[in-house]
Amino acid sequence: MKPRLAWAAVALASLTAAACITPTDRSGDYRVEVTPLPPLLLRDSVRLDARVVDGAGVEVPKAVVAFASEDPTVLSVSQEGVVTAVGVGTAILTVSAVGFADASPFTQAVRIRGRLEVDSVLPVNVRFGDTLTIFGVGLEPDSLFSIEIGGAEATAKSFVPADSSRPDGEAELRVWVPPPAERRSALTLLGFRGGLIHPDTLNVAQRDLYEPNDTMPWPLGPVVAFRNPALAFEPRERNSATDADKQPADWYTFENTRTQDRTIVFFSQNLGAQAFGVFITDSLEWWSAEATFRVGPNAWTIGLETYLCGGLQFTRMGEPVKIEEVLFPLSIIALEDLPAGTYHVYAPYFPFGDPAAYELLIVSEYASVLQPDAAEENDYCNVAAPLPLPGPATLSIDNPHDIDWFRASVPAQTTITVTATAANDEADLDLYLVRDFRPDSLVLIAVGSEPGGTESVSATLDPGEYFLVVVDFPGVPTQYTLGAGVTPGPVAPVTGTAASLSDRLQLLREKRAASGPGRPDRLRPRGAERR
């Protein structure tokens, strides 16, 4: 019996030793598991979730772990497992099991990012109006005061967070490349989260995406909605109006695939009041023999100072008469039910020198300060509304430099008096009464151009077709009332404030001179004599 008792004693001692084993005696297939950290932003704090498991993945209860950071100036870690991002860079985090011989520790290279940081910018070769994609963190447009490319203020196009659950993670900010960004341009960001200058530079070609489009149009194609706020007139010195390569204009076409509302906006913060005008027409060509633009014989045109009907401009005694308006670098042309077809947007630019930024917007809606009135669409002669007789009718000048056309058919000699009164005190209405001799001419019969918001025009009309054109000289959107009275037979001689046509045209010239210097007219009807 003694040998058996001895064996039992040895076995019992072994079992007791196994039950009382201490961590310092443990060895085998153990490892430390920690939920990996995402990239952290400066000043972020996170408590680590760490545990020790055996080879089967079973957690060892009450196991003790130790935390360490390779670089405490970037990532600090407490003995309780709280890590804090204290610097920008990368640090190795190590979590090891205490007293487990050969247990595999957990290690991770933790990235600490600034609250505003750029990883990369693409592409590196761009033009004005191109889209630049910035990859990094802290790029939300609402958090940025400014985005500059080569010293020029850029406009945000879109923002795409990398992870919707972590909007402060790496993201993509798309911006327009603005003129006049330098040829070698640095990206500069300034915002609530700090500021930075990205060390890599961009190569910016000194022309926009659609150049050359001086004497050949750039076809935008079927347009649902088009916007580019970073276009430019290229920085070439233009000393001669007869040099086709120096023609100061940008020219676009777009397709209206069906009858629909359209608004064309052309705007610049960089150009002076005399810098450019914008025209939209259904016909336009470059005539190289005289280095000028011409419209077709059936064209209608909407634009500052130049309104053509059937390819014709208003004339008096055979000389062209320009509708006078205050010029400033904003054109809003809202058109209701624009027919399907191809349309031309033409923007002449007169100052020379560095590129000047502008924005072009084409949308499928009627975008107006005021709602369309009962006569819309009547912004060009093809859709002129019947002259309200006897009136009055409440109408509107809906945008800066809107123009309203009305038509009247006179069967017998008639005296007509038309009065327009603006609701806005800042408006200054002018009236143009025109005889329609198409296809030969449009002859100006009378002009009402007194200063102020109330205007009248009176004339004796022979049988025929006529237009009345209503213009707001300063381009102030306003409602107005329009009334017309007719009396058979001739009118008495005009006296008092109803001045002669020559006097009215002279008053228009004085109003125009008071608003600023004039500009050359770059758009002429086809077949017009060059003067």
Side-chain angles (χ1 to χ4, degrees), residues 212-218 233 238 241-244 246-253 279 281 283-296 301 306 308 311 313 344-350 521-528 530:
N213 62 337
D214 289 358
T215 58
M216 290 290 292
W218 189 278
F233 297 97
R238 295 160 170 152
T242 61
D243 188 338
K246 296 177 180 179
Q247 173 62 28
D250 278 352
W251 182 9
Y252 305 90
T253 61
F279 305 86
T281 178
S283 171
L284 191 64
E285 66 179 9
W286 169 252
W287 196 38
S288 58
E290 293 194 7
T292 190
F293 286 93
R294 289 191 170 189
V295 296
T301 299
T306 303
L308 304 184
Q313 191 172 354
H344 301 255
V345 179
Y346 158 74
Y349 172 65
F350 296 101
D521 186 5
R522 304 294 304 178
L523 193 64
R524 294 192 288 126
R526 184 183 299 166
R530 190 173 188 185

Side-chain angles (χ1 to χ4, degrees), residues 135-454:
F135 300 89
V137 296
L139 302 177
E140 295 88 339
D142 291 344
S143 72
L144 296 174
F145 303 142
S146 68
I147 308 166
E148 288 189 358
I149 299 173
E153 186 76 19
T155 303
K157 182 178 182 180
S158 63
F159 174 69
V160 182
D163 185 341
S164 59
S165 67
R166 292 190 299 106
D168 283 334
E170 183 171 327
E172 298 178 15
L173 175 63
R174 296 184 177 92
V175 300
W176 305 96
V177 178
E182 302 163 350
R183 293 180 183 274
R184 294 287 293 174
S185 289
L187 171 69
T188 304
L189 300 177
L190 180 65
F192 289 108
R193 298 176 176 179
L196 63 86
I197 300 176
H198 189 58
D200 299 333
T201 56
L202 309 170
N203 300 313
V204 181
Q206 298 296 290
R207 58 188 184 278
D208 68 33
L209 289 174
Y210 307 107
E211 293 294 348
N213 62 337
D214 289 358
T215 58
M216 290 290 292
W218 189 278
L220 300 175
V223 170
V224 176
F226 172 87
R227 182 193 181 217
N228 196 314
L231 301 175
F233 297 97
E234 68 275 32
R236 283 184 278 177
E237 184 178 358
R238 295 160 170 152
N239 295 319
S240 172
T242 61
D243 188 338
D245 188 51
K246 296 177 180 179
Q247 173 62 28
D250 278 352
W251 182 9
Y252 305 90
T253 61
F254 70 90
E255 300 291 333
N256 215 31
T257 57
R258 58 181 176 83
T259 298
Q260 60 184 312
D261 292 353
R262 281 291 189 190
T263 300
I264 298 94
V265 179
F266 198 103
F267 172 69
S268 175
Q269 294 179 328
N270 303 90
L271 304 180
Q274 305 303 319
F276 66 86
V278 180
F279 305 86
I280 176 174
T281 178
D282 60 348
S283 171
L284 191 64
E285 66 179 9
W286 169 252
W287 196 38
S288 58
E290 293 194 7
T292 190
F293 286 93
R294 289 191 170 189
V295 296
N298 299 313
W300 56 261
T301 299
I302 300 176
L304 299 182
E305 299 185 314
T306 303
Y307 299 88
L308 304 184
C309 173
L312 301 173
Q313 191 172 354
F314 301 164
T315 62
R316 178 180 178 271
M317 304 296 291
E319 291 295 318
V321 175
K322 181 181 295 185
I323 289 181
E324 300 287 352
E325 299 170 87
V326 172
L327 303 182
F328 55 92
L330 170 66
S331 292
I332 305 176
I333 301 172
L335 302 168
E336 191 172 50
D337 292 332
L338 183 66
T342 300
Y343 296 92
H344 301 255
V345 179
Y346 158 74
Y349 172 65
F350 296 101
F352 304 147
D354 291 335
Y358 67 86
E359 174 172 352
L360 176 60
L361 175 69
I362 304 174
V363 295
S364 299
E365 61 183 271
Y366 189 94
S368 172
V369 176
L370 301 173
Q371 293 300 310
D373 60 39
E376 294 293 345
E377 174 56 47
N378 65 329
D379 285 0
Y380 51 100
C381 71
N382 291 22
V383 288
L387 183 65
L389 293 171
T394 300
L395 304 165
S396 64
I397 299 292
D398 55 9
N399 283 303
H401 302 297
D402 178 29
I403 183 171
D404 285 349
W405 290 74
F406 300 92
R407 54 181 169 79
S409 181
V410 177
Q413 191 179 63
T414 302
T415 298
I416 185 169
T417 300
V418 182
T419 301
T421 303
N424 191 326
D425 293 338
E426 297 179 356
D428 180 2
L429 298 182
D430 292 328
L431 305 180
Y432 295 78
L433 188 59
V434 180
R435 177 73 183 269
D436 182 6
F437 285 111
R438 286 181 297 170
D440 298 320
S441 63
L442 296 172
V443 178
L444 186 62
I445 302 299
V447 179
S449 59
E450 295 291 337
T454 298

Side-chain angles (χ1 to χ4, degrees), residues 73-113:
T73 64
V74 174
L75 183 73
S76 69
V77 57
S78 70
Q79 290 306 308
E80 291 75 28
V82 177
V83 297
T84 302
V86 294
V88 175
T90 301
I92 303 298
L93 171 69
T94 302
V95 185
S96 55
V98 177
F100 285 73
D102 300 327
S104 300
F106 169 84
T107 61
Q108 179 188 355
V110 181
R111 173 81 180 275
I112 311 300
R113 317 189 66 159

